Amino acid sequence: MTKKKLAESRGYSEESDFRYFLTDREIKILDSIEDLTARTIDADDMEPVDAVQHAVSSMRAVAMFCG
């Protein structure tokens, strides 16, 4: 979900610091996605949007096995 959609779904303005409104679990997930995205960009010279999609897909795959 994009920042804009997340903000809208929770009734916040897009400009607000939306991390303040996330749960601890959501922040950990977001941090993991951001970390994997950055490492993928560096290691594989991947475009940022593609790297985010890869990170999200990878996190979903891990979640399937770790339930």
Side-chain angles (χ1 to χ4, degrees):
M1 182 177 302
T2 65
K3 179 182 176 181
K4 181 178 181 178
K5 287 182 182 178
L6 177 63
E8 287 174 357
S9 73
R10 299 199 178 178
Y12 310 128
S13 70
E14 186 180 358
E15 293 78 30
S16 64
D17 181 9
F18 74 100
R19 284 178 181 261
Y20 178 78
F21 301 102
L22 297 177
T23 65
D24 288 342
R25 182 173 184 273
E26 290 169 328
I27 290 171
K28 287 179 184 178
I29 292 168
L30 183 58
D31 287 345
S32 295
I33 291 170
E34 288 174 342
D35 179 62
L36 181 54
T37 297
R39 290 187 289 122
T40 301
I41 290 168
D42 290 342
D44 298 335
D45 195 30
M46 192 178 285
E47 291 295 320
V49 172
D50 294 336
V52 170
Q53 291 171 344
H54 171 76
V56 170
S57 295
S58 296
M59 296 294 290
R60 285 184 183 144
V62 168
M64 287 174 42
F65 294 101
C66 297

